[in-house]
Amino acid sequence: MSSITAPPGENESHVTSYPRFLGRSLWLATEGSLAFYAWMTVLTALFLVGANAWANQVAGGMIGTNMTDHVSWGLYIANFTFMVGLAAGGVMMVIPAYLYRDRKMHDVVIIGELLAIAAIVMCLMFVIADLGRPDRFWHMMPVIGKFNFPISMLTWDVIVLNGYLLLNLHICGYLLYMRYLGRKPNPVWYVPFVMLSIVWAISIHTVTAFLYCGLGGRPFWNTALLAPRFLASAFVSGPAFIIVSMVLIKRVTGVGGLDQPIATLTKIVRVTILINLLMVTSELFTEFYTGGSHTSAAKYLFFGLHGKTALVPWIWTAIGLNITAALLLLWPGLLELRRRPLLVAACCMAFVGAWIEKGMGLIVPGFIPSTLHEIVEYVPSQLEWKVTVGIWAFGLMVFTIAIKTALPTLRHPAEH
Amino acid sequence: MANTESTPQPTSKPSLPVVQNFTRRAAVKGAFATLGAGAFVAAVSPLRQAAKNTTAAEFMQQHYTELSPEQKADVIARLEAEAKEQYGADVQIADDRPIPGTKFVYAINLSVCNGNGKCVEACHKENNHDRDTNQSYIRVVEMPKGTMDMEKGSTTYTGTVPKDDKFYLPVQCQQCDEPPCVDVCPVKATWKEEDGIVVVDYNWCIGCRYCEAACPYHARRFNWKKPVVPAEEINPDQSYLSNRVRPVGVVEKCTYCLHRTRRGRLPACLEACPTGARVFGNILDKDSNIRWILENKRVYILKEELGTKPAFFYYFD
Ligand code: SF4
Ligand code: SF4
């Protein structure tokens, strides 16, 4: 009775069967083992802690964060930037599946698309968490608010992120709905959208990089390499996350056919992580060989400046993780089935490495030293950590439910 | 077709009628959902406090440039009442508009400025800044003589000024003619007016702080908390776009004291300066002092290479 395939009456219209499909999916997604309920309960609890912390932040003002007029963006925007990358990273499944017609990848490509949905939801939550006046959110909506388009890059970002969310909701929703109806999906209704989503994935991260690299007053961000670097690290973190998810999905649900996609993704990360390291090296060479006051942020980040060293441990941890992960991934033996734990470890290292590099290692040093060359350091407050953990928990809940909804499709890929 | 695909469910006994099982599970799920929703409402309950501080009228208020004269009058009356209620002060909030034919420009004589910081203090008082954080729109950088590199400067200098080997560089909003802060704002909450002053509608800003990241002169401030100003210290002489007490969660900045300068007075920082280093005026007025300085002194602007075109100049004698 748990099948998602429940063909409705012959002449039933979509108006009634689509809501029924949604209800059915929700019902199925909330069915599960004890471990599943325990996992969801823990996530819910963490989410509630975050929601409470955020409510306190709104009520008491953002003084509860450790951000200042000097470092005016912190952990939230760092996570936002990283999540955009994660959302874009899913495209590394879509490209092999649709452009290179990799059948095995095609069967499970929906994992990448569902990840994109969860990641974008988190992005939007991080933006809201960072607003001083979330009650004025409507000012940012086109037509009823005052949308500074096309001058403000932030408005571009709002458009591309929401567009990407809609695209992926449509693609996943359509495929799962067809499955529910027991019909063969009509390529006209989703393939063009998939192709569009490939270009769109690149755009979300490019526009997000433009948010920062367009600011002349922040030399650390003001580099043409920022957007390519963002993409390279997105193509590390996205596939790394998906590999770990697939290993877990295989273990927990016994879905088959995942090993080949895992191998393909590992091969992709093997290259992208090197490209990312190459770009970092190139950036560092330019900074340090040239010298001058443009270098102060990089100096602060890597070695500390005037005795202030808050970010130094972060960045060296990231570098250490990235290099170890890169070396592990270069080793062909990593793909052997019995070395799955090691593969997972390598992916986790790459993932955390990218998270630090893009967050604490990129957003924060943009503000240190400040535009008047003052050095005010930043370490996230407890409240910021709570909100962040809460949003991550919510994202994982969305991802878990989404994957559960898609399980029948993953088990028995349709012939399309 | 169905059962082959089902997730193993340890709890469902084959002998039970499916419907009964369904209802029981539905009830359990419903209970959990209700519990979750209840916990969520409890978790975000501090929001109720915040909602009390935002009236419906404030929530619905339109952008400054779209308010009709009647709406503006209502808004101002509401803000004055709020100042009374929340700060216990009787204030007058005007709506000072640019005077046609003016373009305000500032200049500072760095040979004269001795870093005493009276301007910083005057700004703090004039603009009803938060007392707890000792906020001000002006920062003075103590620079070693012989360099223009701000990297070598210090904003936290102490001791008797002026020191022999130093000069002093006060920095505030440069009222850029190509202001990056205005470009980046996603909701047009900040803009440049005809007399050159860059203003913020504190009731429209969403507090994203993108402008703070974009400004190359550290000119913008965010209200991390609700400003605290004792009733007797509040400067009651206010304007909607300048020194009225700002709400929490929005960005603010120097407005060249438009509540004074648009009424023919001088900025508070200039009046407070004991050395006479500050010169302010209308650059379109050919006989003005400022015009004479810009024409005859060797003036320079900060971070010229960024193309922000400041309306704020520095010079040495
Ligand atoms: S100094 Fe900063 S805040 Fe003032 S106009 Fe220029 S960019 Fe904007
Ligand atoms: S903080 Fe306010 S003024 Fe600044 S960019 Fe955001 S909305 Fe605009």
Side-chain angles (χ1 to χ4, degrees):
Chain A
M1 67 151 284
S2 297
S3 164
I4 198 144
T5 317
E10 280 307 306
N11 302 320
E12 192 175 355
S13 91
H14 294 301
V15 181
T16 50
S17 67
Y18 198 75
R20 201 120 51 92
F21 151 71
L22 288 180
R24 181 96 192 111
S25 303
L26 188 67
W27 176 264
L28 282 182
T30 49
E31 292 286 291
S33 63
L34 260 183
F36 167 72
Y37 286 118
W39 166 244
M40 291 303 277
T41 310
V42 169
L43 291 181
T44 310
L46 291 176
F47 167 66
L48 289 176
V49 169
N52 178 253
W54 176 72
N56 281 322
Q57 172 187 303
V58 174
M62 295 189 82
I63 190 85
T65 73
N66 276 353
M67 289 184 272
T68 54
D69 284 326
H70 292 89
V71 184
S72 47
W73 281 338
L75 195 59
Y76 301 150
I77 293 298
N79 272 288
F80 158 76
T81 312
F82 178 77
M83 292 322 297
V84 177
L86 200 53
V91 82
M92 277 296 149
M93 290 182 87
V94 182
I95 290 177
Y98 285 90
L99 294 188
Y100 293 105
R101 310 207 168 273
D102 175 337
R103 281 221 67 85
K104 291 285 182 195
M105 190 62 97
H106 194 283
D107 290 344
V108 293
V109 64
I110 199 162
I111 298 180
E113 292 157 348
L114 294 172
L115 173 65
I117 294 176
I120 297 281
V121 168
M122 287 172 71
C123 283
L124 299 176
M125 288 171 88
F126 275 116
V127 170
I128 306 253
D130 191 65
L131 290 187
R133 296 302 298 231
D135 54 321
R136 298 184 185 165
F137 188 71
W138 65 274
H139 294 181
M140 233 205 283
M141 294 193 196
V143 186
I144 61 164
K146 239 185 178 334
F147 205 50
N148 191 12
F149 186 79
I151 301 294
S152 170
M153 275 297 125
L154 201 50
T155 57
W156 281 79
D157 220 22
V158 168
I159 293 174
V160 292
L161 287 177
N162 283 303
Y164 194 58
L165 180 63
L166 291 180
L167 264 180
N168 280 290
L169 279 175
H170 165 72
I171 295 167
C172 298
Y174 177 74
L175 289 179
L176 293 175
Y177 181 50
M178 284 301 122
R179 174 94 200 172
Y180 167 78
L181 294 181
R183 290 201 208 139
K184 206 171 159 213
N186 182 351
V188 172
W189 283 106
Y190 74 100
V191 174
F193 294 95
V194 172
M195 296 302 160
L196 183 59
S197 84
I198 294 177
V199 185
W200 208 285
I202 312 281
S203 84
I204 59 169
H205 220 26
T206 309
V207 170
T208 306
F210 287 177
L211 286 182
Y212 311 106
C213 68
L215 305 180
R218 307 275 172 193
F220 189 67
W221 295 338
N222 192 211
T223 149
L225 200 51
L226 204 70
R229 240 183 97 186
F230 269 26
L231 286 169
S233 75
F235 297 152
V236 173
S237 58
F241 186 89
I242 295 169
I243 293 172
V244 175
S245 314
M246 292 207 281
V247 171
L248 284 175
I249 291 172
K250 187 180 164 194
R251 277 206 76 154
V252 174
T253 67
V255 168
L258 288 175
D259 290 321
Q260 206 177 314
I262 289 180
T264 309
L265 284 178
T266 309
K267 286 173 197 155
I268 289 174
V269 183
R270 188 178 281 164
V271 178
T272 51
I273 198 168
L274 290 181
I275 296 179
N276 189 41
L277 280 173
L278 172 74
M279 289 193 191
V280 175
T281 315
S282 154
E283 190 94 78
L284 290 182
F285 171 79
T286 318
E287 292 270 8
F288 287 109
Y289 195 81
T290 316
S293 45
H294 263 229
T295 320
S296 0
K299 256 192 222 147
Y300 169 74
L301 176 62
F302 283 91
F303 306 110
L305 206 58
H306 306 309
K308 306 261 175 82
T309 56
L311 288 182
V312 176
W314 288 90
I315 195 68
W316 288 107
T317 311
I319 301 239
L321 290 171
N322 281 337
I323 291 182
T324 320
L327 290 178
L328 279 172
L329 285 161
L330 278 178
W331 178 44
L334 191 68
L335 275 175
E336 280 169 36
L337 274 183
R338 66 196 160 91
R339 299 230 169 80
R340 278 293 183 253
L342 198 59
L343 175 66
V344 168
C347 287
C348 289
M349 281 190 247
F351 187 78
V352 176
W355 183 81
I356 298 179
E357 194 192 298
K358 248 188 195 162
M360 298 303 280
L362 193 126
I363 302 305
V364 178
F367 294 99
I368 309 175
S370 78
T371 46
L372 295 186
H373 295 271
E374 295 166 87
I375 300 180
V376 175
E377 301 204 274
Y378 164 80
V379 177
S381 73
Q382 204 187 38
L383 183 141
E384 286 171 87
W385 280 117
K386 281 187 191 163
V387 173
T388 302
V389 168
I391 296 176
W392 273 87
F394 188 82
L396 284 174
M397 270 200 274
V398 173
F399 187 58
T400 312
I401 300 239
I403 291 289
K404 283 211 73 163
T405 314
L407 267 186
T409 313
L410 288 172
R411 285 221 169 82
H412 295 272
E415 296 303 310
H416 57 261
Chain B
M1 48 104 211
N3 284 333
T4 47
E5 294 182 12
S6 70
T7 343
Q9 287 170 28
T11 46
S12 62
K13 297 188 198 87
S15 59
L16 273 180
V18 170
V19 165
Q20 204 179 324
N21 188 25
F22 180 86
T23 347
R24 206 194 71 219
R25 292 187 75 86
V28 172
K29 282 184 190 183
F32 270 109
T34 318
L35 199 70
F40 180 74
V41 170
V44 297
S45 63
L47 287 182
R48 253 179 283 161
Q49 182 57 38
K52 247 187 276 167
N53 293 334
T54 312
T55 57
E58 186 191 332
F59 179 73
M60 298 298 291
Q61 187 183 322
Q62 289 299 317
H63 189 274
Y64 173 81
T65 55
E66 274 161 18
L67 294 174
S68 66
E70 301 79 48
Q71 284 171 322
K72 253 187 205 168
D74 287 348
V75 166
I76 285 177
R78 192 187 79 225
L79 291 171
E80 287 175 345
E82 274 174 17
K84 180 77 188 159
E85 184 193 328
Q86 296 174 16
Y87 290 90
D90 293 299
V91 305
Q92 294 81 46
I93 301 177
D95 176 34
D96 297 288
R97 302 304 304 142
I99 306 157
T102 35
K103 155 92 178 158
F104 288 127
V105 170
Y106 221 139
I108 297 187
N109 185 345
L110 297 180
S111 305
V112 172
C113 172
N114 65 8
N116 62 73
K118 285 278 180 285
C119 51
V120 180
E121 217 178 287
C123 174
H124 177 70
K125 293 192 182 127
E126 175 71 25
N127 289 304
N128 294 312
H129 279 292
D130 177 41
R131 294 305 189 246
D132 297 348
T133 46
N134 207 14
Q135 196 58 276
S136 172
Y137 296 140
I138 308 175
R139 289 182 99 72
V140 184
V141 191
E142 186 183 67
M143 302 271 291
K145 283 186 180 157
T147 180
M148 282 295 186
D149 187 356
M150 273 193 257
E151 177 84 358
K152 311 238 161 49
S154 155
T155 52
T156 49
Y157 63 92
T158 48
T160 324
V161 290
K163 296 182 193 114
D164 280 344
D165 52 343
K166 302 280 200 279
F167 74 99
Y168 298 84
L169 176 74
V171 184
Q172 63 208 73
C173 174
Q174 314 276 305
Q175 317 291 358
C176 308
D177 282 349
E178 297 286 345
C181 57
V182 169
D183 289 346
V184 299
C185 179
V187 294
K188 297 191 188 164
T190 182
W191 65 92
K192 194 171 175 68
E193 303 225 292
E194 292 90 80
D195 55 0
I197 300 176
V198 174
V199 293
V200 180
D201 181 353
Y202 312 122
N203 279 34
W204 191 259
C205 168
I206 58 173
C208 68
R209 307 187 301 291
Y210 196 7
C211 53
E212 222 177 356
C215 169
Y217 305 98
H218 193 71
R220 294 190 164 242
R221 305 284 183 271
F222 183 70
N223 286 280
W224 301 96
K225 60 191 265 295
K226 190 176 162 68
V228 173
V229 192
E232 65 281 6
E233 290 179 23
I234 285 197
N235 173 8
D237 202 3
Q238 304 179 354
S239 194
Y240 181 89
L241 290 174
S242 67
N243 64 337
R244 65 183 166 102
V245 182
R246 272 76 65 193
V248 65
V250 303
V251 152
E252 56 177 70
K253 63 181 283 300
C254 162
T255 59
Y256 275 177
C257 281
L258 64 80
H259 54 285
R260 298 166 63 108
T261 50
R262 283 181 184 170
R263 301 179 202 163
R265 296 172 65 199
L266 288 165
C269 47
L270 185 147
E271 277 187 0
C273 177
T275 65
R278 289 175 170 262
V279 186
F280 180 86
N282 175 12
I283 197 181
L284 301 181
D285 174 359
K286 290 203 172 55
D287 306 320
S288 64
N289 198 5
I290 188 89
R291 181 77 174 239
W292 186 88
I293 285 170
L294 295 185
E295 278 170 359
N296 294 287
K297 297 284 180 183
R298 274 182 282 167
V299 297
Y300 80 101
I301 50 178
L302 289 184
K303 305 198 186 189
E304 184 174 359
E305 70 279 11
L306 297 181
T308 49
K309 304 208 180 109
F312 203 109
F313 299 85
Y314 297 90
Y315 64 102
F316 292 92
D317 273 333

